[in-house]
Amino acid sequence: MKLSINKNTLESAILLCNAYVEKKDSSTITSHLLFQAEEDKLIIKASDFEIGINYKIRKIRVESSGFATANAKNIADVVKSLNNEEVILETIDNFLFIRQKRTKYKLPMFNYEDFPDFPKTEGKNQFDIDSSDLSRSLKKILPSIDTNNPKYSLNGAFLDIKTDKINFVGTDTRRLAVYTLDKTNPQEFSISIPKKAIMEMQKLFYEKIEIYYDQNMLIAKNDNFEFFTKLINDKFPDYEKVIPKEFKQTLEFSTEDFIDSLKKISVVTEKMKLHFNKDKIIFEGISLDNMEAKTELEIQTGVNEEFTLTIKIKYLLDFLMSIEEEKFNLNVNESNLAFVVKSQGLSMIIMPMIL
């Protein structure tokens, strides 16, 4: 294999693919990137068996086709150190040489034939959804998805596909986010996508793509890349049972004013009390270090009965930063019960804190 490629083009592709490799054990083939040169393109593959990408760089000069592997971190460090000029990649014996003018690096390779095969789309169902709609919907619930929860299903987004809509659901047990996308679908089904995969999908799903799935796998592809992730098979909790059906009070507030007030308190503490009075809202920080933080928002709230919510600031900020609308609704029953914030298709059920 021998080819020439622009340094910045190569570096961007390597950094993108490095998120998919095995990072804990450098002795495995999955800690390496696989390079495949053919005709006028370079294909870079990465996978840790759970998630993978096949990324294509076109219109480069390939002198001889072939395969190479290189430790993902090592080649990223090497390419990063080079100047923004043409780079030559060449395999000689069992090594990958990286050259740029008078600079040369030599990296050991593994056997490319040991690299894991990528799943095929044959026999899988097609999921008809616009890639930007999918990416935007997942992004809205992403902050609410748990990490390393013993209940494996909570470490991903649950997509509940109905005939007239799709509910995107994420929870960390202290809050539950549901984003509803109005869309007709030929059949009802559900899948759970791991959080790690969702984070990588945000970098890719801005082009037109085809999406395929079965019980265990989701595959997305277009002319520039192929992406796959294993799906979560653990049963997701019945989220609809958690959502309150009735509220004593439904209030509307300015998104920008609330964000500004919450940020003022968050510089001191992560917990706060929200006091809702008829003509103002008092934001009062809770700190264990004898520090105090308080601000007020003068507003005719329209509350029927004054109440206080004790919250983790991050939860409410995550919701407000995920919406585009100027107003949002706050629905509440009792101070010690779950409350709901809503705006357009996004709802978040938040459990108040017990001090």
Side-chain angles (χ1 to χ4, degrees):
M1 182 189 90
K2 186 175 182 181
L3 61 90
S4 302
I5 186 172
N6 176 265
K7 178 259 187 182
N8 280 356
T9 301
L10 179 61
E11 182 181 11
S12 297
I14 287 175
L15 291 178
L16 176 69
C17 294
N18 270 14
Y20 297 78
V21 303
E22 166 62 51
K23 296 180 174 61
K24 295 180 180 178
D25 186 357
S26 61
S27 67
T28 66
I29 185 65
T30 50
S31 69
H32 277 220
L33 298 177
L34 174 63
F35 298 86
Q36 179 180 350
E38 53 184 49
E39 297 180 352
D40 64 344
K41 70 176 180 244
L42 173 65
I43 303 171
I44 304 177
K45 296 183 179 181
S47 173
D48 63 0
F49 293 107
E50 299 294 322
I51 188 173
I53 191 168
N54 176 339
Y55 190 81
K56 301 170 187 174
I57 305 173
R58 302 179 185 277
K59 297 181 179 178
I60 62 170
R61 186 157 55 90
V62 177
E63 292 188 32
S64 60
S65 60
F67 297 86
T69 82
N71 178 274
K73 183 182 185 306
N74 291 345
I75 193 169
D77 291 342
V78 165
V79 173
K80 184 179 180 180
S81 71
L82 298 174
N83 298 324
N84 183 23
E85 299 174 12
E86 193 171 78
V87 178
I88 296 174
L89 303 183
E90 182 179 12
T91 56
I92 301 176
D93 295 329
N94 202 35
F95 293 93
L96 173 63
F97 288 83
I98 304 170
R99 300 190 180 93
Q100 187 181 71
K101 293 185 176 178
R102 298 184 180 182
T103 302
K104 179 177 74 173
Y105 295 91
K106 175 183 174 184
L107 301 180
M109 299 194 302
F110 287 166
N111 185 355
Y112 75 89
E113 293 180 338
D114 293 334
F115 202 84
D117 293 329
F118 273 50
K120 307 296 184 183
T121 59
E122 288 78 6
K124 292 180 171 56
N125 302 305
Q126 191 160 3
F127 184 14
D128 181 20
I129 185 171
D130 183 82
S131 59
S132 59
D133 284 344
L134 177 60
S135 179
R136 184 172 61 90
S137 301
L138 289 170
K139 185 177 181 180
K140 286 182 178 294
I141 67 165
L142 183 60
S144 299
I145 299 173
D146 211 346
T147 305
N148 297 323
N149 193 296
K151 176 68 174 169
Y152 189 47
S153 64
L154 303 189
N155 297 318
F158 180 66
L159 276 62
D160 189 8
I161 294 94
K162 303 178 184 293
T163 55
D164 60 343
K165 64 183 177 181
I166 303 176
N167 283 338
F168 295 80
V169 190
T171 182
D172 58 8
T173 72
R174 298 302 303 172
R175 55 180 164 168
L176 171 75
V178 181
Y179 179 72
T180 301
L181 177 68
D182 292 326
K183 181 186 179 303
T184 56
N185 303 287
Q187 61 180 348
E188 295 191 351
F189 63 97
S190 62
I191 57 175
S192 290
I193 305 176
K195 187 172 186 176
K196 177 182 177 181
I198 295 170
M199 294 171 70
E200 297 312 315
M201 289 161 71
Q202 300 297 315
K203 306 172 188 176
L204 293 170
F205 286 24
Y206 53 86
E207 306 175 43
K208 185 175 178 60
I209 56 176
E210 296 177 355
I211 301 176
Y212 301 85
Y213 72 96
D214 60 17
Q215 184 179 353
N216 302 310
M217 195 77 61
L218 182 140
I219 302 171
K221 59 187 293 187
N222 65 10
D223 290 338
N224 298 318
F225 70 84
E226 293 182 20
F227 163 94
F228 82 84
T229 178
K230 286 188 176 179
L231 297 174
I232 298 173
N233 285 323
D234 192 30
K235 183 176 175 59
F236 197 83
D238 188 351
Y239 68 95
E240 292 179 312
K241 285 186 176 179
V242 180
I243 304 172
K245 302 298 186 291
E246 296 180 351
F247 302 97
K248 287 185 177 179
Q249 300 188 83
T250 297
L251 312 171
E252 185 179 72
F253 300 111
S254 162
T255 303
E256 183 179 352
D257 289 345
F258 241 82
I259 290 175
D260 182 62
S261 299
L262 290 171
K263 285 184 174 180
K264 285 184 170 69
I265 306 301
S266 67
V267 299
V268 170
T269 179
E270 63 176 17
K271 304 172 186 177
M272 69 178 303
K273 289 184 178 181
L274 283 171
H275 305 280
F276 292 84
N277 300 325
K278 290 185 178 181
D279 57 357
K280 64 183 174 181
I281 305 172
I282 302 172
F283 298 74
E284 180 185 5
I286 301 171
S287 175
L288 300 178
D289 301 322
N290 293 321
M291 298 177 67
E292 292 185 4
K294 183 181 287 189
T295 189
E296 295 183 3
L297 190 60
E298 293 187 0
I299 180 175
Q300 295 300 315
T301 63
V303 299
N304 306 325
E305 182 180 325
E306 295 183 359
F307 63 96
T308 298
L309 294 174
T310 304
I311 66 166
K312 189 169 184 178
I313 299 173
K314 173 177 167 54
Y315 295 166
L316 196 47
L317 265 180
D318 283 345
F319 166 80
L320 295 173
M321 298 297 286
S322 297
I323 63 177
E324 296 92 21
E325 291 71 34
E326 296 180 355
K327 302 283 186 179
F328 73 97
N329 288 339
L330 187 147
N331 307 287
V332 65
N333 284 315
E334 304 288 346
S335 295
N336 60 342
L337 297 179
F339 63 96
V340 180
V341 283
K342 299 179 67 173
S343 181
Q344 296 282 49
L346 181 63
S347 299
M348 185 179 290
I349 298 92
I350 303 176
M351 289 297 298
M353 301 185 69
I354 306 298
L355 297 180

